């Protein structure tokens, strides 16, 4: 699918391991290979499924660098809004 131009989005909860270790490992495998284009909050409310984007940004920044974190959280989402290439 990536070869055909599909873009990949992961949920912050999954990256942080809130859906189990195997999901976290899969997410980090994709992140390490720089195959991810976006990170979503998947937040539903302020009590049970709260947004954890800041925590996720900090983890990605620490493990994969500022440039990749900026792409996932700022540059790629802005490109979609502006209808420009990623």
């Amino acid at each position: 699918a990536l070869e055909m131009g599909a873009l990949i989005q992961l949920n912050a909860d999954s990256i942080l391991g809130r859906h189990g270790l195997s999901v976290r490992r899969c997410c980090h495998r994709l992140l390490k290979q720089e195959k991810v284009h976006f990170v979503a909050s998947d937040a539903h409310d302020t009590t049970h499924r709260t947004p954890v984007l800041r925590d996720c940004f900090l983890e990605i920044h620490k493990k994969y660098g500022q440039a990749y974190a900026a792409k996932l959280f700022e540059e790629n989402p802005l490109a979609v809004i502006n209808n420009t290439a990623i």
Side-chain angles (χ1 to χ4, degrees):
L2 281 175
E3 299 80 24
M4 296 172 59
L7 302 177
I8 294 180
Q9 172 178 293
L10 298 177
N11 290 332
D13 281 349
S14 297
I15 294 168
L16 295 173
R18 295 181 180 191
H19 297 293
L21 185 57
S22 62
V23 172
R24 177 181 168 83
R25 285 183 182 148
C26 180
C27 289
H28 282 274
R29 192 172 321 119
L30 292 169
L31 288 163
K32 185 175 183 179
Q33 297 171 6
E34 294 192 11
K35 291 185 176 182
V36 180
H37 301 91
F38 309 99
V39 174
S41 71
D42 197 31
H44 289 236
D45 57 49
T46 58
T47 307
H48 304 314
R49 302 248 320 246
T50 60
V52 292
L53 287 175
R54 179 169 173 73
D55 294 341
C56 189
F57 175 86
L58 293 173
E59 180 165 321
I60 290 173
H61 180 274
K62 180 180 176 183
K63 289 187 176 202
Y64 306 103
Q66 169 62 32
Y68 193 42
K71 275 184 147 184
L72 296 176
F73 289 87
E74 299 168 25
E75 296 168 20
N76 290 347
L78 188 57
V80 170
I81 291 168
N82 291 327
N83 197 29
T84 59
I86 293 179

